[in-house]
Amino acid sequence: MDLLFISVFALLIFSVNGGDIVHQDDNAPKKPGCENDFILVKVQTWVDGKEDEEFVGVGARFGKTIVTKEKNANYSRLTLSSPRDCCSKPKNKLAGDIIMVHRGHCKFTTKANIAEDAGASAVLIINDQNELYKMVCEPDETDLDIHIPAVMLPQVAGTKLEKMLSNGSSVSVQLYSPQRPVVDIAEVFLWLMAVGTILCSSYWSAWNAKEAATEHEKLLKDASEELSNVSLGGVVIISTKSAVLFVVVASCFLIILYKLMSSWLILLLVVLFCIGGAEGLQTCLIALLSRWCEPFARSYVKVPLFGAVSHLTLAVSPFCITFAALWGVYRNLHFAWIGQDVLGIALIMTVIQIVRIPNLKVGTVLLSCAFLYDIFWVFASNKLFHESVMIVVARGDKSGEDGIPMLLKIPRMFDPWGGYSIVGFGDILLPGLLLAFALRYDWLAKKSLRAGYFLWAMLAYGLGLLITYVALNLMDGHGQPALLYIVPATLGTFLMLGRKRGDLKVLWTKGEPERLCPHVRLHMADELSHDS
């Protein structure tokens, strides 16, 4: 596999499942009076009695806990602090108002104590950046006794609230923190989507491999062509060197995206995704329709610059290009996730069909490298860059766009916080290459479903992805490297079964079942005919 293909392949690989992530500060431990869990808080506003915009903040480690149900939340008038940072006693009387203060230079707990002493019912602290910051207590603070809730809001929310107040309007707010469901139905559909994509891709790859093997045997029996002259028809075989190089190139691309993240870079990724998605969709549709429209698929017309093109390709291509272009233009609409998933699935299936692992050795090297790559860029990169590089790139931070398109996603259906459940292309594509290899081996070795490797590896993949979502919920929505769970499950199952059944040596080196070569069969038949 040449460097160009590795580069394109690496650009498509993002392997992270993520949720809402706020800036972390875990240096200060919990202590009496400062032991609240960090929770997201909805700040619903009313302007002159009419419901207006809703903002999202994060509750502090200290202070009164915030109610979970909207019906139990009180309406309170919003007042701007004077002085703005609330590091000294406010000049205005509060009488149960919610006071809005700037972050300033004094402690968060100092602001909360001053606001409570002045009669405020809650304090909204506006951050000086457009991110949410977890408010903790100082290590030397003891005997904290704060009885009002404190909520951090991003800078953009504070600007909008100040504008409402500066217009002379009466602004009221309501604070509550609805609980997320343990499992959202979107995660179930996303799991089915990932498993279904690998299932279809594997059968497509195995079917083509079986047809190629049958054709090879026919050519050899007819003595019309030598095996060395038979082409695999556009299939790219990964080598051990390519597997290692892929991770190096993928890491380089990730750093480039992290350092140069901007709206134009996201736009470039969107264009590349549209091109790849249109090509993938065309390949999938032609493969599907050619079964029913064989004469149409086998008749060709000469097209300038492209040469001989089948009539079926001419019919399908405009639809695929238009579909991808429309998604690129309207990708910010609320239903655009459907088009992104269609293009993404088609692209993944096409890559799994084209790219092949020749044996278990290459598969082990590829997945092991991807395993380390995923863990490093999700977790260990915090040490070097002070934030998770993979998660920042996946979300598209500092780009002004809604993340990169190299993800499958479904809107969360019963989550009061909304958002999307996502899975990276790499979480499907990389294990999919191994599973496709397993099914190709099973078919060529004429193994039954239970006696083969594909069924058990497929079950292991489904379990690994399920564990990923369990870990995601247990970790309070923080991004998780899915390959951390998927690779040990799938690769471990494959290696264990291969060793137990005595196939490991063949799987590791040859990657194909031991079969008698057609040349040998023909030679033996000639000898028998002469003897008779």
Side-chain angles (χ1 to χ4, degrees), residues 62-63 86-90 94 99 106-120 123 125 141-150:
F62 53 85
C86 198
C87 290
S88 58
K89 184 178 179 180
L94 301 179
I99 187 171
C106 59
K107 300 176 183 177
F108 294 128
T109 50
T110 300
K111 298 177 188 292
N113 277 318
I114 292 174
E116 183 178 6
D117 292 341
V123 56
I125 300 176
E141 289 183 297
T142 57
D143 300 325
L144 291 168
D145 191 26
I146 300 172
H147 297 286
I148 63 172

Side-chain angles (χ1 to χ4, degrees), residues 365-434:
V365 172
L366 177 65
L367 289 181
S368 298
C369 290
F371 174 79
L372 297 174
Y373 163 88
D374 224 17
I375 294 174
F376 177 82
W377 290 113
V378 174
F379 290 145
S381 59
N382 276 314
K383 303 295 183 182
L384 296 176
F385 300 93
H386 307 294
E387 57 187 346
S388 174
V389 172
M390 180 77 81
I391 292 173
V392 169
V393 171
R395 291 190 320 215
D397 290 2
K398 303 175 183 178
S399 68
E401 297 282 343
D402 187 22
I404 63 172
M406 285 70 176
L407 302 164
L408 300 185
K409 62 181 186 178
I410 297 179
R412 297 178 66 85
M413 301 176 187
F414 299 105
D415 191 338
W417 295 99
Y420 292 88
S421 291
I422 64 173
V423 60
F425 281 5
D427 304 332
I428 303 173
L429 202 157
L430 293 173
L433 294 174
L434 180 69

Side-chain angles (χ1 to χ4, degrees), residues 6 242-252 365-366 369-370 373 377:
I6 293 174
S242 298
V244 176
L245 187 59
F246 150 72
V247 176
V248 174
V249 175
S251 297
C252 293
V365 172
L366 177 65
C369 290
Y373 163 88
W377 290 113

Side-chain angles (χ1 to χ4, degrees), residues 459-520:
L459 291 173
Y461 173 79
L463 179 61
L465 188 59
L466 180 63
I467 293 173
T468 301
Y469 286 117
V470 172
L472 187 65
N473 287 310
L474 291 177
M475 297 296 178
D476 194 27
H478 294 306
Q480 293 293 302
L483 295 181
L484 172 64
Y485 311 99
I486 293 172
V487 169
T490 53
L491 193 57
T493 299
F494 211 145
L495 291 170
M496 182 185 67
L497 281 177
R499 182 178 178 83
K500 183 179 179 180
R501 295 171 177 177
D503 297 331
L504 188 57
K505 184 177 180 180
V506 175
L507 287 167
W508 188 263
T509 56
K510 296 183 178 180
E512 291 187 3
E514 296 280 4
R515 290 179 296 165
L516 193 62
C517 178
H519 285 303
V520 177

Side-chain angles (χ1 to χ4, degrees), residues 184-252:
D184 191 88
I185 193 66
E187 292 173 351
V188 177
F189 284 123
L190 201 62
W191 184 90
L192 291 172
M193 188 184 298
V195 171
T197 299
I198 289 183
L199 193 65
C200 295
S201 303
S202 299
Y203 272 93
W204 185 13
S205 179
W207 181 271
N208 285 345
K210 187 177 180 180
E211 285 188 335
T214 304
E215 186 65 24
H216 288 187
E217 289 198 6
K218 286 182 180 179
L219 292 171
L220 289 170
K221 286 179 181 179
D222 295 339
S224 59
E225 247 183 287
E226 293 296 327
L227 183 61
S228 58
N229 294 330
V230 178
S231 171
L232 290 178
V235 172
V236 178
I237 305 297
I238 302 177
S239 65
T240 305
K241 182 180 178 181
S242 298
V244 176
L245 187 59
F246 150 72
V247 176
V248 174
V249 175
S251 297
C252 293

